[in-house]
Amino acid sequence: MKISGRPTTEGSRGIKQKKEKLKNFLKEKGFKSTRQRDLIASEFLEMGEHVTAEELYREISKKYTDIGYTTVYRTLKLLNQSGLAAERVFADNLTRYEPLSAEDHHDHLICMKCGSITEFQDLRIERLQERVADEFGFVAVSHKMELYGYCRKCKDNA
Amino acid sequence: MKISGRPTTEGSRGIKQKKEKLKNFLKEKGFKSTRQRDLIASEFLEMGEHVTAEELYREISKKYTDIGYTTVYRTLKLLNQSGLAAERVFADNLTRYEPLSAEDHHDHLICMKCGSITEFQDLRIERLQERVADEFGFVAVSHKMELYGYCRKCKDNA
DNA sequence: AAGGAAATTGAAATTCATTTTCAATTAGAC
DNA sequence: GTCTAATTGAAAATGAATTTCAATTTCCTT
Ligand SMILES: [Mn+2]
Ligand SMILES: [Mn+2]
Ligand SMILES: [Zn+2]
Ligand SMILES: [Zn+2]
């Protein structure tokens, strides 16, 4: 097991690379690069993890009053399609997005009191999952694994 | 790993026991036993696995035209509270219910083509999950693990 | 066996995130 | 610059989940 030591805000190097990747994706697909998409992608990549469209929209609205909710929503879908963002739905049934690099896969520990989200990666579990699938003749494409409970802070003063 | 060899329809013995348990639960909580709750519980326990409120309602409507959707919905919530049903939300974001015995825990393989759901139980994975939680000082209360992909039937003629 | 308080029911209305619609605007190829 | 197709943002639509409310039913008390 390994902590996904991801920095809360990515270095601006990583962001630039990713915005480049987005541009390529758009061009490939015959989509257009727009001021809105650029600003939304920047804000998203800077904000970091597990944000809802609504949260990202509110943040962006502070700086740019002319960007609509719908465009934020649609841009997150695009970021997801391009592989730059992962879509996650936890127990509260809200769709959240987080920046994602090509290789990086991880799962989540979710605190039922404070809502904090911790990421982890465990290769042994991943291997066992693959074996379970095999035994059923099942070809696994993706999985979802979330542990719900109380984080270090919350379990004490619960 | 072990297949959860659960029969599609429970023996009527198990159903009677469970309906007894529901009655006790209702009495404990100061709730009332009604014709509707009784019929909905029976139908649910007979139908078996992973049904939505809508599906269960449609089935019940065939026999009893006077039972409303709302009551089905509310009764499923009650069955969940009483521990007789588990609430599940898979990738399609619909809330499903399945009969559940106290001890029985399992996770799911979900076919992205035909929608079939296979149940499995893997103690090695469960133990590793507990270890992951421990390493983060996290107290795990429950978890969700779903493998998405293609079942034996679908992977071939995909 | 009534009586009556409290819970339940079912239809309809509401909520709320998400998704679609559409007329006006914009990007970018030529 | 011109033109076409894509994009935008406000508003409307969607759809499952939940709440409301008046009528009905349960079941505890007499
Ligand atoms: Mn994450
Ligand atoms: Mn199941
Ligand atoms: Zn916490
Ligand atoms: Zn299948």
Side-chain angles (χ1 to χ4, degrees):
Chain A
M1 182 188 33
K2 155 175 158 288
I3 302 180
S4 78
R6 180 166 15 168
T8 312
T9 49
E10 302 197 42
S12 56
R13 171 179 310 278
I15 291 185
K16 269 194 183 145
Q17 271 185 354
K18 288 183 176 178
K19 290 181 64 172
E20 203 51 47
K21 205 177 157 190
L22 175 61
K23 239 179 187 164
N24 294 339
F25 169 81
L26 293 174
K27 186 162 285 180
E28 263 176 36
K29 295 280 185 179
F31 298 150
K32 291 173 177 171
S33 285
T34 65
R35 171 179 156 271
Q36 289 93 331
R37 285 176 177 168
D38 195 64
L39 292 172
I40 293 166
S42 292
E43 192 67 28
F44 170 68
L45 294 169
E46 276 166 21
M47 260 184 98
E49 331 221 320
H50 312 122
V51 293
T52 62
E54 167 67 23
E55 285 164 358
L56 181 55
Y57 169 67
R58 268 212 304 281
E59 206 54 33
I60 286 174
S61 293
K62 290 180 187 166
K63 302 186 191 169
Y64 314 100
T65 52
D66 62 330
I67 294 185
Y69 172 78
T70 313
T71 302
V72 172
Y73 160 80
R74 284 189 283 225
T75 301
L76 285 170
K77 289 268 162 200
L78 276 180
L79 287 165
N80 181 232
Q81 285 172 47
S82 71
L84 291 170
E87 227 180 70
R88 310 276 190 187
V89 181
F90 300 130
D92 63 4
N93 254 62
L94 295 180
T95 303
R96 290 164 197 283
Y97 294 85
E98 61 174 330
L100 197 66
S101 309
E103 336 67 32
D104 139 49
H105 164 79
H106 61 265
D107 295 286
H108 300 91
L109 295 163
I110 297 147
C111 179
M112 291 157 59
K113 180 138 193 259
C114 73
S116 71
I117 297 171
T118 307
E119 304 181 338
F120 72 93
Q121 200 176 359
D122 188 309
L123 264 39
R124 291 169 302 176
I125 293 179
E126 308 269 326
R127 273 195 298 269
L128 286 170
Q129 287 175 338
E130 202 44 60
R131 286 186 55 166
V132 169
D134 282 352
E135 298 207 31
F136 285 94
F138 191 94
V139 180
V141 170
S142 66
H143 70 252
K144 177 168 198 170
M145 174 165 52
E146 294 148 16
L147 310 190
Y148 292 88
Y150 298 98
C151 74
R152 201 193 301 277
K153 284 178 186 165
C154 293
K155 74 176 168 198
D156 302 322
N157 52 359
Chain B
M1 183 188 30
K2 156 177 155 289
I3 302 178
S4 76
R6 178 164 22 165
T8 313
T9 49
E10 300 197 45
S12 57
R13 172 178 308 281
I15 290 184
K16 267 195 185 145
Q17 272 185 357
K18 286 182 176 178
K19 291 181 65 174
E20 201 53 45
K21 205 176 157 191
L22 174 61
K23 236 177 189 167
N24 293 338
F25 169 80
L26 292 174
K27 187 161 283 178
E28 263 176 36
K29 295 281 186 178
F31 298 150
K32 291 172 178 171
S33 284
T34 66
R35 171 179 156 270
Q36 288 93 331
R37 284 176 179 169
D38 196 63
L39 291 172
I40 293 166
S42 292
E43 192 66 28
F44 171 67
L45 294 171
E46 278 166 23
M47 260 185 96
E49 331 220 320
H50 313 122
V51 294
T52 62
E54 169 65 23
E55 285 163 356
L56 181 55
Y57 168 67
R58 268 211 304 281
E59 205 54 32
I60 285 174
S61 294
K62 291 179 188 168
K63 302 186 191 172
Y64 314 99
T65 52
D66 62 329
I67 294 185
Y69 172 79
T70 314
T71 304
V72 172
Y73 160 80
R74 283 188 284 223
T75 302
L76 285 170
K77 289 266 162 205
L78 276 180
L79 286 165
N80 181 232
Q81 285 172 46
S82 71
L84 292 170
E87 226 179 70
R88 311 275 190 189
V89 182
F90 300 130
D92 63 5
N93 254 66
L94 294 181
T95 303
R96 291 164 197 282
Y97 294 86
E98 61 174 331
L100 197 65
S101 309
E103 335 67 32
D104 140 49
H105 164 78
H106 62 263
D107 294 287
H108 298 92
L109 295 163
I110 295 147
C111 178
M112 290 157 61
K113 180 138 193 258
C114 73
S116 70
I117 299 171
T118 306
E119 304 182 337
F120 72 93
Q121 200 175 1
D122 191 309
L123 264 39
R124 291 169 302 177
I125 294 180
E126 308 268 327
R127 274 194 298 269
L128 286 170
Q129 286 176 338
E130 201 46 58
R131 286 188 54 167
V132 168
D134 282 352
E135 298 206 30
F136 286 94
F138 190 94
V139 179
V141 170
S142 66
H143 70 252
K144 177 170 201 171
M145 175 166 50
E146 294 148 16
L147 310 191
Y148 291 89
Y150 298 97
C151 73
R152 201 192 301 277
K153 284 179 187 166
C154 292
K155 76 175 167 199
D156 302 321
N157 52 359

